[in-house]
Amino acid sequence: MPILLDPEATETRTLLGLYPDFNGKCVLEIGCGDGRLTWRYAAEARRVAAIDPDPARLERALANRPVGFDHVEFQHANLEDFAARMQERFDLAILSWSL
Amino acid sequence: MVHALEIIWELLAPDGRLLDIHPSGEPPQVILRNDTERRLLGYLQESDDFIEYHQASEALQAVILRGLFQVESASRFEFSVHADTVPALVDYLKKEWKDAILVPEIIAQAEALWRRPGAQKEMMISEWDGMTLLRPERK
């Protein structure tokens, strides 16, 4: 156990307390980093677009993709560039420590 | 920051929601924990004095006042980082929390306490963060 982040999952419990139903939702996560939070909510979502400007962190996210999470798409992008080419509208946008 | 919130407003479906997570801006606690107690060693500082977190809160307030978003619910939670040694925590901060400042006095205090015999120990950073669910206003 060199480093553990939020092992008590307080962040996830707070998130699910405020937004309990991800079922069938189309989610945009801005600042997904290495996917630490993404993997905790994405199971029920219909689709997740997860963006981050740091390619090294995205590589870690892709390397850690659990089985059955093919509906999560990671993109190397900042919000402005992503929005410029995006027609889709999202049910939920998560600003993940990135505002 | 306000511009980012305007972009998000455009990207949301009419019944969509924005969920913002950001630190409260209170200095995180540096703690040495064993089986029986949490000992506060001091506080982590950041090179920019946490200013961006206060700016994030102000940006949210600005778009709420402009009528772009309404707060639906909000909460606070304790986010913790756990390290199994003092050097592991120092190394983590250097790589992943680049603007964090852990003063040498706290490191020395932690190492001195670590050398004492006793129960299993770990280092912790404890930070209070805010989470806010917002609904876009469509007039």
Short mmCIF file of all heavy atoms in Angstrom, two decimals, chain B residues 56-83:
data_model
loop_
_atom_site.label_atom_id
_atom_site.label_comp_id
_atom_site.label_asym_id
_atom_site.label_seq_id
_atom_site.Cartn_x
_atom_site.Cartn_y
_atom_site.Cartn_z
N ALA B 56 -12.72 29.24 -8.11
CA ALA B 56 -13.74 28.31 -8.62
C ALA B 56 -15.08 28.57 -7.92
O ALA B 56 -16.13 28.60 -8.57
CB ALA B 56 -13.29 26.86 -8.40
N SER B 57 -15.03 28.77 -6.61
CA SER B 57 -16.28 29.06 -5.88
C SER B 57 -16.89 30.37 -6.36
O SER B 57 -18.11 30.49 -6.52
CB SER B 57 -15.98 29.15 -4.37
OG SER B 57 -15.49 27.92 -3.90
N GLU B 58 -16.04 31.36 -6.61
CA GLU B 58 -16.53 32.66 -7.08
C GLU B 58 -17.15 32.54 -8.48
O GLU B 58 -18.17 33.18 -8.77
CB GLU B 58 -15.40 33.68 -7.10
CG GLU B 58 -14.99 34.13 -5.70
CD GLU B 58 -13.66 34.88 -5.67
OE1 GLU B 58 -13.16 35.25 -6.76
OE2 GLU B 58 -13.13 35.07 -4.57
N ALA B 59 -16.54 31.71 -9.33
CA ALA B 59 -17.08 31.52 -10.68
C ALA B 59 -18.46 30.87 -10.62
O ALA B 59 -19.39 31.27 -11.35
CB ALA B 59 -16.12 30.66 -11.52
N LEU B 60 -18.61 29.89 -9.74
CA LEU B 60 -19.93 29.26 -9.58
C LEU B 60 -20.95 30.29 -9.11
O LEU B 60 -22.08 30.36 -9.64
CB LEU B 60 -19.86 28.10 -8.58
CG LEU B 60 -19.27 26.78 -9.07
CD1 LEU B 60 -19.18 25.78 -7.93
CD2 LEU B 60 -20.10 26.20 -10.21
N GLN B 61 -20.56 31.10 -8.14
CA GLN B 61 -21.48 32.14 -7.64
C GLN B 61 -21.87 33.10 -8.76
O GLN B 61 -23.02 33.54 -8.86
CB GLN B 61 -20.83 32.92 -6.49
CG GLN B 61 -20.93 32.22 -5.15
CD GLN B 61 -22.36 31.83 -4.80
OE1 GLN B 61 -23.28 32.62 -4.89
NE2 GLN B 61 -22.55 30.57 -4.43
N ALA B 62 -20.90 33.43 -9.61
CA ALA B 62 -21.15 34.39 -10.68
C ALA B 62 -22.21 33.87 -11.66
O ALA B 62 -23.12 34.60 -12.06
CB ALA B 62 -19.85 34.71 -11.42
N VAL B 63 -22.10 32.59 -12.04
CA VAL B 63 -23.07 32.06 -13.02
C VAL B 63 -24.43 31.82 -12.37
O VAL B 63 -25.46 31.87 -13.05
CB VAL B 63 -22.56 30.78 -13.74
CG1 VAL B 63 -21.37 31.10 -14.61
CG2 VAL B 63 -22.25 29.66 -12.77
N ILE B 64 -24.44 31.59 -11.07
CA ILE B 64 -25.72 31.46 -10.35
C ILE B 64 -26.41 32.82 -10.31
O ILE B 64 -27.61 32.94 -10.60
CB ILE B 64 -25.48 30.89 -8.93
CG1 ILE B 64 -25.04 29.43 -9.01
CG2 ILE B 64 -26.73 31.03 -8.07
CD1 ILE B 64 -24.42 28.88 -7.74
N LEU B 65 -25.64 33.85 -10.01
CA LEU B 65 -26.21 35.21 -9.95
C LEU B 65 -26.71 35.66 -11.32
O LEU B 65 -27.70 36.39 -11.42
CB LEU B 65 -25.16 36.20 -9.42
CG LEU B 65 -24.89 36.12 -7.92
CD1 LEU B 65 -23.72 37.01 -7.52
CD2 LEU B 65 -26.15 36.51 -7.13
N ARG B 66 -26.04 35.23 -12.37
CA ARG B 66 -26.46 35.58 -13.74
C ARG B 66 -27.66 34.77 -14.20
O ARG B 66 -28.20 35.01 -15.29
CB ARG B 66 -25.31 35.34 -14.72
CG ARG B 66 -24.35 36.51 -14.79
CD ARG B 66 -23.17 36.21 -15.68
NE ARG B 66 -23.57 35.64 -16.98
CZ ARG B 66 -22.73 35.06 -17.82
NH1 ARG B 66 -21.45 34.95 -17.50
NH2 ARG B 66 -23.14 34.57 -18.97
N GLY B 67 -28.05 33.76 -13.42
CA GLY B 67 -29.23 32.97 -13.77
C GLY B 67 -28.95 31.85 -14.74
O GLY B 67 -29.89 31.28 -15.32
N LEU B 68 -27.66 31.48 -14.94
CA LEU B 68 -27.34 30.36 -15.84
C LEU B 68 -27.60 29.02 -15.15
O LEU B 68 -28.00 28.06 -15.78
CB LEU B 68 -25.87 30.42 -16.26
CG LEU B 68 -25.47 31.29 -17.43
CD1 LEU B 68 -24.01 31.04 -17.78
CD2 LEU B 68 -26.35 31.02 -18.65
N PHE B 69 -27.31 28.96 -13.87
CA PHE B 69 -27.48 27.72 -13.10
C PHE B 69 -28.17 28.02 -11.77
O PHE B 69 -28.08 29.13 -11.26
CB PHE B 69 -26.11 27.08 -12.78
CG PHE B 69 -25.43 26.43 -13.95
CD1 PHE B 69 -24.47 27.12 -14.68
CD2 PHE B 69 -25.72 25.13 -14.32
CE1 PHE B 69 -23.82 26.53 -15.76
CE2 PHE B 69 -25.09 24.53 -15.39
CZ PHE B 69 -24.14 25.22 -16.11
N GLN B 70 -28.82 26.97 -11.25
CA GLN B 70 -29.37 27.02 -9.89
C GLN B 70 -28.82 25.85 -9.10
O GLN B 70 -28.71 24.74 -9.64
CB GLN B 70 -30.89 26.87 -9.94
CG GLN B 70 -31.63 28.16 -9.64
CD GLN B 70 -33.10 27.93 -9.44
OE1 GLN B 70 -33.52 26.85 -9.05
NE2 GLN B 70 -33.88 28.95 -9.74
N VAL B 71 -28.49 26.10 -7.86
CA VAL B 71 -28.00 25.00 -7.02
C VAL B 71 -29.17 24.10 -6.64
O VAL B 71 -30.20 24.56 -6.15
CB VAL B 71 -27.33 25.53 -5.73
CG1 VAL B 71 -26.96 24.36 -4.80
CG2 VAL B 71 -26.09 26.34 -6.06
N GLU B 72 -29.00 22.81 -6.91
CA GLU B 72 -30.04 21.85 -6.54
C GLU B 72 -29.72 21.21 -5.18
O GLU B 72 -30.59 21.06 -4.34
CB GLU B 72 -30.13 20.76 -7.61
CG GLU B 72 -31.42 19.99 -7.55
CD GLU B 72 -31.67 19.28 -8.87
OE1 GLU B 72 -31.12 18.19 -9.07
OE2 GLU B 72 -32.42 19.84 -9.71
N SER B 73 -28.45 20.86 -4.98
CA SER B 73 -28.03 20.33 -3.68
C SER B 73 -26.51 20.44 -3.59
O SER B 73 -25.83 20.59 -4.60
CB SER B 73 -28.49 18.88 -3.51
OG SER B 73 -28.15 18.12 -4.63
N ALA B 74 -26.03 20.36 -2.37
CA ALA B 74 -24.58 20.50 -2.16
C ALA B 74 -24.18 19.73 -0.91
O ALA B 74 -25.00 19.50 -0.02
CB ALA B 74 -24.20 21.96 -2.02
N SER B 75 -22.90 19.35 -0.89
CA SER B 75 -22.42 18.59 0.26
C SER B 75 -20.91 18.79 0.39
O SER B 75 -20.26 19.31 -0.52
CB SER B 75 -22.74 17.10 0.06
OG SER B 75 -22.47 16.38 1.23
N ARG B 76 -20.38 18.40 1.54
CA ARG B 76 -18.94 18.42 1.76
C ARG B 76 -18.48 17.02 2.13
O ARG B 76 -19.26 16.24 2.70
CB ARG B 76 -18.59 19.36 2.92
CG ARG B 76 -18.42 20.81 2.53
CD ARG B 76 -18.44 21.71 3.75
NE ARG B 76 -17.41 21.43 4.74
CZ ARG B 76 -16.22 22.04 4.80
NH1 ARG B 76 -15.91 22.95 3.90
NH2 ARG B 76 -15.35 21.74 5.74
N PHE B 77 -17.26 16.69 1.80
CA PHE B 77 -16.73 15.38 2.18
C PHE B 77 -15.24 15.48 2.46
O PHE B 77 -14.57 16.40 1.98
CB PHE B 77 -17.01 14.33 1.09
CG PHE B 77 -16.34 14.61 -0.23
CD1 PHE B 77 -15.15 13.97 -0.57
CD2 PHE B 77 -16.89 15.50 -1.13
CE1 PHE B 77 -14.52 14.22 -1.78
CE2 PHE B 77 -16.26 15.76 -2.35
CZ PHE B 77 -15.09 15.12 -2.67
N GLU B 78 -14.76 14.53 3.25
CA GLU B 78 -13.33 14.47 3.58
C GLU B 78 -12.65 13.53 2.60
O GLU B 78 -12.99 12.34 2.55
CB GLU B 78 -13.13 13.99 5.01
CG GLU B 78 -11.66 13.99 5.43
CD GLU B 78 -11.44 13.31 6.77
OE1 GLU B 78 -12.27 12.47 7.18
OE2 GLU B 78 -10.40 13.61 7.41
N PHE B 79 -11.72 14.06 1.84
CA PHE B 79 -10.95 13.24 0.90
C PHE B 79 -9.58 12.99 1.53
O PHE B 79 -8.90 13.93 1.94
CB PHE B 79 -10.79 13.98 -0.43
CG PHE B 79 -10.15 13.15 -1.50
CD1 PHE B 79 -10.93 12.37 -2.34
CD2 PHE B 79 -8.78 13.13 -1.66
CE1 PHE B 79 -10.35 11.59 -3.33
CE2 PHE B 79 -8.18 12.35 -2.65
CZ PHE B 79 -8.98 11.58 -3.49
N SER B 80 -9.18 11.72 1.59
CA SER B 80 -7.91 11.42 2.25
C SER B 80 -6.95 10.68 1.34
O SER B 80 -7.35 9.90 0.48
CB SER B 80 -8.16 10.60 3.52
OG SER B 80 -8.83 9.41 3.21
N VAL B 81 -5.68 11.00 1.53
CA VAL B 81 -4.59 10.31 0.85
C VAL B 81 -3.80 9.57 1.93
O VAL B 81 -3.43 10.17 2.94
CB VAL B 81 -3.66 11.32 0.14
CG1 VAL B 81 -2.47 10.61 -0.49
CG2 VAL B 81 -4.43 12.12 -0.91
N HIS B 82 -3.57 8.27 1.72
CA HIS B 82 -2.89 7.46 2.72
C HIS B 82 -1.57 6.95 2.14
O HIS B 82 -1.54 6.46 1.01
CB HIS B 82 -3.75 6.25 3.12
CG HIS B 82 -5.07 6.64 3.71
ND1 HIS B 82 -5.41 6.34 5.00
CD2 HIS B 82 -6.12 7.31 3.19
CE1 HIS B 82 -6.63 6.82 5.25
NE2 HIS B 82 -7.08 7.40 4.16
N ALA B 83 -0.51 7.05 2.93
CA ALA B 83 0.81 6.56 2.50
C ALA B 83 1.37 5.65 3.58
O ALA B 83 1.20 5.92 4.78
CB ALA B 83 1.76 7.73 2.26
#
